[in-house]
Amino acid sequence: MFRNVSPLRDRMSRVVLPLLLAVAFVLYTGFVDGNPGVAADHWWDRPGHLVVNAFPGLLTAGLLLVLTRRAWLSFGLAFLAQGVVLAVSAIKMKNLGSPLLPADFRMVGQLKNGGLHLLGGYLPANPLPYLAIIAAIALVVMAARVEPPLFARRTHGRRLVSGIALFALIATLFAGVPAWSTMYDKNRLGMQPWSAAANAGDNGVVTTIMQFRLQNAGKKARPDPTSAAQFLASTDGALREHMAAAAANPRQTPDIVVVQSESFFDPSVIRGMEHDDLAPNLHRLAEHASVGRLHVPTFGGGTIRTEFEVLTGLSLRYFPSMQFPYLQMSSGVMPGMVRTLRSHGYETIAVHGNDPGFWNRTSAFRSLGFDRFVSQADFPRDAPRSGEYMADSAMTDEIMRQLKNDGPPRFVFAISMEAHGPYDKSANIDTAERDAIAVPDGLSDAAKMQLRNYIYHMRRADAELGRLAEQLKQRERPTLLLFYGDHLPALVEAYDKLGFTDGGNMLTQTVPYILIDAHGDGPAPQRDDVAAWMLPGRLLERAGIHDDPYFALTQVVGPHLAALTHAPDAPSPPEDDIARHTDGPMGNIALLRMKRKLDPLVAQYLAPPAAPATARPAGIFADEPAVGAGQ
């Protein structure tokens, strides 16, 4: 069917066919993207937006055309790749309220570390999308078998030059070379950097990926030591007063347990559930503990964002390009709470009933200074599962196994998994108990199922909080227990249809935290709202450790800045004069802290170091540069 064509028609087809396929590709991208700003029916009034949204795919199709010499095959492969990217973005948007972003592509490297199982749970159960992909692949294979070349193999170097040029364009585009900002200009196309979801609605998913990739291209945050020093001088009196007050806590070093509870929050903040007491242990223990609302830097996922802030005391607000910190931070020494505790003789242990390589935790925990990492393979073989993951009861048991009544004090940082989404699965649960959970009307059956599944697991997390607190109370050694949620669960339909009692949206909600003194022999409880990066300073002071000026500073300035911590796509709250005066300088201080260059500026606040009360035993990371609180 491709034979016996005239030379003129043959020459025309070499030009016309790729052009027609390019136009079809632009319209196809707008159709599959689905966002109103780049919909295919807007081709007349917003052609530029449609073209730039499809441009990376067009470049890819052009490179494939040069390599294969077959137009249908090349554009078919590009169609398929573009469709997969947009489908993944749609899944993320449905579950997390945010489209695909540049940092998300780092997750590809995590698929081998347990990520395939975790992320695969969000894929649709309906077989139709997979059948469509198979059909598309079949069409591409057919094109490869029957389509003749569009031009000769030997073109006197023109194919080579074209291929190199197209490859260079693609490489520089995805590398975020600033010159591409001309095409994806935020002033010409418009850009809403505070909201990736809103930006995708106007400009499309691919344009949003490129704009967010390019907005920090060529920019490298550099701290201003002069500004930091001036700010420290302005807070000198308050900082010294706070450190002196903290030093009045004479207690001996207690064991410390921190539980980062997956997706834990109190559902009574949802309209229609105000009168449901679904966290009775949290509420009971709160009567004699330090409690409050916790501002966290993520929503629905991205656990390591909250985890990073709690372990380091650094606000990710000051590191906007660090979407997934464990995948982006250097492998050297990272200052934070773990190293401060090591310098006081603590043995530091991380506990997580999942693959240790996921989120790059093995390397990150080494940098943070943990002595040991107890992960999934180290749990008993018969450890119970609830839902898709390790039960919180197994985590409680493992925490207690790690605590001893002799030897050095211990810091155990435990990360739960039971309440992890997606919430449409029913494996390893009591379905009768789950189905008896009352949820408000007005939701689809699927949303009701997800809400019930979440509450089923969340109530078990609350029960384990009560069990752990009771077991710590019975120990001979004094123990501090910090329990908090890392973010809200991704129950987008429930939030959209029911709303919240405070009138806010899902991206501005807080999670609870509670700090329990098991023996009740420490300072009086505090009740206030804090940000995740303020927790380590609060915890250390409760433990009688008050010699790190940076953590003391977070307690002095934190109350003015706490509410500025929020999910990346949430609108920023207004800043008062104190926050505006404090926010910028604290950014400089955070950068200096991460680069381990803050010591000279805070040396005047340091007391002579005391020798650790007990020698710290060597752990699995003992050969790494992990000793002390060095910055």
Side-chain angles (χ1 to χ4, degrees), residues 304-305 308-309 316 322-330:
I304 58 169
R305 291 179 60 80
F308 173 85
E309 289 202 351
L316 286 171
M322 191 177 286
Q323 183 72 17
F324 299 127
Y326 289 176
L327 305 182
Q328 295 170 262
M329 72 185 202
S330 66

Side-chain angles (χ1 to χ4, degrees), residues 427-450:
N428 304 308
I429 69 171
D430 183 336
T431 55
E433 179 185 340
R434 187 270 317 277
D435 294 342
I437 296 172
V439 296
D441 293 329
L443 300 175
S444 68
D445 289 342
K448 286 182 178 179
M449 170 74 77
Q450 291 171 12

Side-chain angles (χ1 to χ4, degrees), residues 90-384:
I91 292 171
K92 186 189 175 194
M93 189 69 194
K94 176 182 177 182
N95 286 282
L96 301 181
S98 177
L100 203 62
L101 290 172
D104 295 324
F105 290 90
R106 295 178 182 272
M107 292 298 296
V108 174
Q110 297 300 301
L111 296 180
K112 64 181 182 297
N113 299 323
L116 185 61
H117 169 69
L118 189 148
L119 298 177
Y122 292 94
L123 295 176
N126 191 322
L128 291 180
Y130 307 105
L131 293 175
I133 293 174
I134 292 172
I137 293 174
L139 287 174
V140 170
V141 171
M142 184 182 300
R145 292 176 62 88
V146 304
E147 183 183 7
L150 199 60
F151 44 82
R153 181 186 300 273
R154 299 183 180 278
T155 57
H156 305 290
R158 290 192 293 273
R159 280 182 68 205
L160 178 63
V161 172
S162 299
I164 292 174
L166 285 167
F167 179 81
L169 288 173
I170 293 171
T172 56
L173 179 61
F174 287 105
V177 173
W180 283 103
S181 297
T182 302
M183 169 170 280
Y184 291 96
D185 181 56
K186 62 182 180 181
N187 295 318
R188 181 171 55 83
L189 297 176
M191 184 180 180
Q192 301 181 52
W194 56 86
S195 174
N199 198 76
D202 285 342
N203 293 333
V205 170
V206 177
T207 295
T208 295
I209 291 172
M210 297 314 308
Q211 286 185 317
F212 276 74
R213 177 73 179 91
L214 291 164
Q215 71 172 338
N216 293 315
K219 300 177 183 177
K220 189 173 182 179
R222 298 183 183 279
D224 182 351
T226 301
S227 172
Q230 291 173 347
F231 179 70
L232 287 170
S234 71
T235 61
D236 181 83
L239 181 56
R240 291 185 186 278
E241 182 179 347
H242 181 89
M243 294 186 73
N249 175 16
R251 73 180 303 162
Q252 297 298 312
T253 50
D255 283 346
I256 299 173
V257 175
V258 176
V259 174
Q260 179 173 273
S261 187
E262 173 62 42
S263 299
F264 188 91
F265 86 119
D266 187 347
S268 66
V269 300
I270 298 177
R271 285 178 179 162
M273 305 186 73
E274 299 95 327
H275 306 297
D276 298 336
D277 187 3
L278 299 171
N281 289 283
L282 175 69
H283 299 151
R284 172 180 58 83
L285 292 166
E287 295 178 3
H288 305 286
S290 296
V291 294
R293 299 184 303 166
L294 184 67
H295 297 272
V296 295
T298 188
F299 164 80
T303 293
I304 58 169
R305 291 179 60 80
T306 302
E307 188 175 315
F308 173 85
E309 289 202 351
V310 170
L311 290 174
T312 64
L314 296 169
S315 172
L316 286 171
R317 173 179 175 80
Y318 304 125
F319 305 92
S321 63
M322 191 177 286
Q323 183 72 17
F324 299 127
Y326 289 176
L327 305 182
Q328 295 170 262
M329 72 185 202
S330 66
S331 58
V333 172
M334 176 63 69
M337 174 168 60
V338 185
R339 294 188 178 280
T340 296
L341 289 169
R342 283 175 61 101
S343 71
H344 283 263
Y346 277 80
E347 184 179 358
T348 55
I349 306 154
V351 174
H352 183 41
N354 197 33
D355 190 310
F358 189 60
W359 286 131
N360 197 36
R361 278 193 174 100
T362 301
S363 176
F365 284 173
R366 182 180 292 112
S367 296
L368 288 163
F370 280 102
D371 290 311
R372 293 190 287 117
F373 184 11
V374 180
S375 60
Q376 186 173 13
D378 303 307
F379 278 64
R381 290 189 177 184
D382 59 350

Side-chain angles (χ1 to χ4, degrees), residues 464-510:
E464 289 306 311
L465 167 62
R467 183 165 78 98
L468 179 58
E470 183 59 31
Q471 292 191 13
L472 295 179
K473 184 178 180 180
Q474 303 304 319
R475 296 186 71 229
E476 178 182 337
R477 276 191 164 183
T479 311
L480 291 176
L481 169 60
L482 172 63
F483 177 98
Y484 64 91
D486 56 351
H487 53 68
L488 261 66
L491 301 168
V492 175
E493 182 183 334
Y495 304 147
D496 283 342
K497 291 187 176 179
L498 299 176
F500 293 91
T501 56
D502 65 358
N505 64 40
M506 59 188 176
L507 298 178
T508 61
Q509 297 302 309
T510 56

